[in-house]
Amino acid sequence: MEWGDIGQIIAAVAALGTAAYGLVDTSKVFRGGISNVGYGFLRGALLPFREALELVDKTNPYAVAKANWLNGMDKTEQKTMVKGLIRLGLTKDTAPALAAAVSNIDGPTLAAIAVKINAGQVLADAEITLLGRFEAVVDARLDAAFERADQKYRNTSKVAAAVVAIVLAEVGALQLFGTLDGGNAIKAFLVGLVAVPIAPIAKDITSAMTTAVAAFKAVKR
């Protein structure tokens, strides 16, 4: 094997990783597939605000949040959408439940704020402060939920893609060598294992290797 072949090997391994990612991604056609991973954190964060969300959709208050999550909408946009739904569901009737879900928020005062907002009245400074505190707590909870959900999704996707890449590598080795005896199975396992992390940076690695090989040849002359 020559130094120039390393770039082709890296490209092949990266292609395996990309294919594995693609196969994992196709699971989304089955009721969301891999995209469902992590949603539990988001639903848990929204549970205390169920009454507000029910004003948007009584039968399925989490439908919008789940649809946006499964569709892979930008996290910032998702949080903005959910916050808007909670704010939309803030009424005199839902205020007690929402206040109970947030520490140091007075229910009757929040209810009075909701009445003023729905009537288009100007809020007093103290009411603006309390409403700001309420929204800050909602922001913090949503931030934590989305970050944990996204981390869970990314980590699970990588593990699933690695498993698929290993299976594909083992099948490829079996087709190439006719057997997985000896070190063939181990080699295929290692190729599949590194295929996933290499895939996103393969182009940079290949370019660096090409430059290094060219420089080495120039010095050798």
Side-chain angles (χ1 to χ4, degrees):
M1 181 183 71
E2 297 182 358
W3 283 103
D5 297 331
I6 295 180
Q8 296 180 2
I9 294 174
I10 293 175
V13 174
L16 175 62
T18 302
Y21 267 122
L23 288 175
V24 171
D25 193 62
T26 59
S27 69
K28 293 179 180 180
V29 301
F30 303 103
R31 306 189 69 174
I34 193 70
S35 293
N36 285 285
V37 176
Y39 172 69
F41 290 111
L42 178 57
R43 177 163 181 147
L46 294 179
L47 186 60
F49 309 105
R50 180 185 176 92
E51 288 194 23
L53 297 174
E54 283 181 343
L55 293 182
V56 180
D57 190 335
K58 182 70 175 180
T59 59
N60 190 358
Y62 309 112
V64 174
K66 185 173 184 178
N68 291 338
W69 175 258
L70 294 181
N71 197 42
M73 180 187 288
D74 179 73
K75 283 193 301 180
T76 301
E77 294 181 7
Q78 289 191 61
K79 285 185 282 189
T80 301
M81 175 68 72
V82 173
K83 284 167 50 183
L85 293 177
I86 294 174
R87 179 68 178 269
L88 183 64
L90 175 59
T91 66
K92 179 181 178 180
D93 295 329
T94 62
L98 296 180
V102 178
S103 301
N104 300 321
I105 297 295
D106 181 65
T109 304
L110 187 61
I113 291 173
V115 172
K116 283 190 173 182
I117 292 175
N118 292 329
Q121 299 176 4
V122 179
L123 299 179
D125 290 342
E127 292 172 331
I128 293 175
T129 300
L130 187 142
L131 182 61
R133 189 162 66 245
F134 171 78
E135 293 182 341
V137 173
V138 174
D139 278 344
R141 291 189 180 182
L142 290 179
D143 284 340
F146 272 104
E147 290 304 318
R148 294 184 68 188
D150 186 58
Q151 182 184 42
K152 181 73 173 180
Y153 168 73
R154 285 186 285 106
N155 291 342
T156 302
S157 296
K158 289 178 181 179
V159 171
V163 171
V164 173
I166 290 171
V167 172
L168 293 177
E170 295 287 356
V171 172
L174 182 62
Q175 292 293 321
L176 182 62
F177 302 110
T179 178
L180 292 177
D181 295 338
N184 293 335
I186 296 177
K187 292 177 182 178
F189 175 84
L190 294 176
V191 168
L193 192 64
V194 302
V196 171
I198 282 182
I201 58 174
K203 184 177 181 180
D204 294 334
I205 295 177
T206 302
S207 298
M209 287 298 303
T210 302
T211 302
V213 170
F216 177 77
K217 289 181 177 179
V219 172
K220 189 176 180 180
R221 291 174 185 169

